Amino acid sequence: MTGLPEPLRSRLHPLDRTLDTLETPAVLIDADVADANLVRWQQRCDRAGVANRPHIKTHRSVAWALRQLELGAEGITVQTVGEAEIMADAGISDIFLTTNVLGEAKLARLGAVASRCSLSVVADSAEIVDAAAAAARAAGATITVLVECDTGGGRCGLADPAAIAALALRIAGSEGAKFGGLMTYPGAGKRLQTEQALQAAIAACRGTGLTVPAVSSGGSPDMWKDDGLEPLTEYRAGTYIYNDRALLSRGTATLDQCAMTVLATVVSRPTAGRAIIDAGSKALTSDLLGLDGYGLVLEHPDAVIYQLNEEHGLLDVSRCSAPPSVGDRVHVLPNHTCVVTNLFDRLFIVSGGRLQGALPVEARGRSI
Amino acid sequence: MTGLPEPLRSRLHPLDRTLDTLETPAVLIDADVADANLVRWQQRCDRAGVANRPHIKTHRSVAWALRQLELGAEGITVQTVGEAEIMADAGISDIFLTTNVLGEAKLARLGAVASRCSLSVVADSAEIVDAAAAAARAAGATITVLVECDTGGGRCGLADPAAIAALALRIAGSEGAKFGGLMTYPGAGKRLQTEQALQAAIAACRGTGLTVPAVSSGGSPDMWKDDGLEPLTEYRAGTYIYNDRALLSRGTATLDQCAMTVLATVVSRPTAGRAIIDAGSKALTSDLLGLDGYGLVLEHPDAVIYQLNEEHGLLDVSRCSAPPSVGDRVHVLPNHTCVVTNLFDRLFIVSGGRLQGALPVEARGRSI
């Protein structure tokens, strides 16, 4: 394990298996590929003068979060209070939570996190601002709040610059809260629209006399586009660590930049055209993301995973020149890496072509 | 908790929350509804003279498996060796594993399970039969093997009666193995075809001089159909304990027989037509099962959950007469209960309209 980065090496659990004897289905992570992905993106952010604030939802693992920080990330992004707690427990001191938080018990947990690290959150309504500010006051802490802007992604967020500025003023005037700037999750392929919307929102905020400390965007699909980083101060990318079939299909990643595969065994060949693997929706998930089939079988790229049952993937192998046999082990590139990670308590780390150990996914299931 | 069945009552973890203060997203199980579902199906099996062998993949919880046995189930069905281990650990002595098992390490675990309970498995090829028999011999145990028949479901299984009989003979002649009969997972709506295929397979096996101890079918979609239980000796149903939107849409269950809902909070109302809840694909999964939308919002049946991000559900509320507000809590009937269970380490048990405690999902993630 000497070739692995320290945060990973020190957290792997030892195994009495090799790649050949590992039980399937197993999620493999090529740490060499993943680490190169991290390095490459950090260098890109450094060159662009944009802060790198990686989203840990993809890996949900402390080891990788620490590695991202070691490489130069300014802080991390999380999606849930549960993820924030796990990462704060690991000593991470700068956390940005990009979903609205409501509910008395959860807000109390939010306040507790804020009292032990530098915590930023988002808001797109007065209710969310008031709730975050109250949670901060109750904990004797301060929470930085960014206004979430809908710049074309059609998720959460305000679109009207005047409404954005008004909410920014409300944050700035709330005891316990501090106005942190603007945040958006851009629509894929809408970089120009995103930039224009952010510029309008910045102008509206400045028009009220506010300064806009941070302008934060994210998303892996367009992360490598050279245009459109203006007027951003930071970028939140998540999937880039492992990449997946969805990013491969968009041209965001190449196949040799994909670090996650699901190792599966062919357990049945009931007909000439059908093969069954022991990875189903409880291993690959049903996420299609607009793709045809539920993953790419690397050894049999002409096979189509046309159906998933819970523990089985059904493959049409009629177009394969040498279809697989019962007992063969295959590697499946999943459509969407983030949801696969979330099914497993541990992933299996490969480096130099050898199995190195099991990586705990400490924040698995932490959607609360 | 006095109204709860003992296996459940004794295994719940206490909570310092009520339904009103429970953090979201949370998977709620109405134990009164679930238990009534179990009782009703056991009665139906008893009347029909068919053994009830419920599939625990839906709940993956020891408490419910024990309750199913207490009510009269002959044994349980599992999908994975990991599930079998958890249930054997709980003292369950009659387990049927309905997927092909391959791989040295996993077969050793299979043998270990066989050495401490009555274990049946399936096979649809000589490789699988030989592997199971060898695992049994290595463990000094016997494994009962049923031939899996494809009766129109198009999953695993042999379709040709002669091939089925030949494999049955191979099982009967294998030291460590015992021929247990025939198993199928029928295609939905194909009961007559299933019956005819099974009768042909039975006849072929008998033609070789074998007796066919068990004929096992399963599946929730057609479980309540009065026709077609012939020639079955046992039935494997799983989803019937909780039911879900897919079974509701098929008419297999009514809404008041659906025991699982996902409690979620409306965290954003960015436009007049859009609402965002804090339950996404990491709570509801992307399973569509042919349905429109990712779940049914019980309080707003005219809303459509048209998109899931990992932690957010996006609702089109434009057809709602009284659309939800930020902070509202809603109950979502998921499309597919089995995969939702598998995302959470614990579900929340409600009885008599009150939160009773947390139910551990001991076999969550046990797809290996």
Side-chain angles (χ1 to χ4, degrees), chain A residues 46 89 164 166 169 206:
Chain A
D46 291 344
D89 287 348
I164 291 166
L169 278 176
R206 288 185 178 152

Side-chain angles (χ1 to χ4, degrees), chain B residues 165-219:
Chain B
L167 199 63
L169 278 176
R170 187 182 189 98
I171 297 166
S174 297
E175 194 188 339
K178 202 173 106 181
F179 175 57
L182 304 175
M183 171 272 189
T184 193
Y185 186 89
K190 295 186 177 175
R191 287 294 285 266
L192 183 60
Q193 179 183 340
T194 301
E195 181 186 338
Q196 291 169 341
L198 287 173
Q199 295 286 19
I202 292 166
C205 290
R206 288 184 179 151
T208 68
L210 287 169
T211 58
V212 181
V215 182
S216 176
S217 187

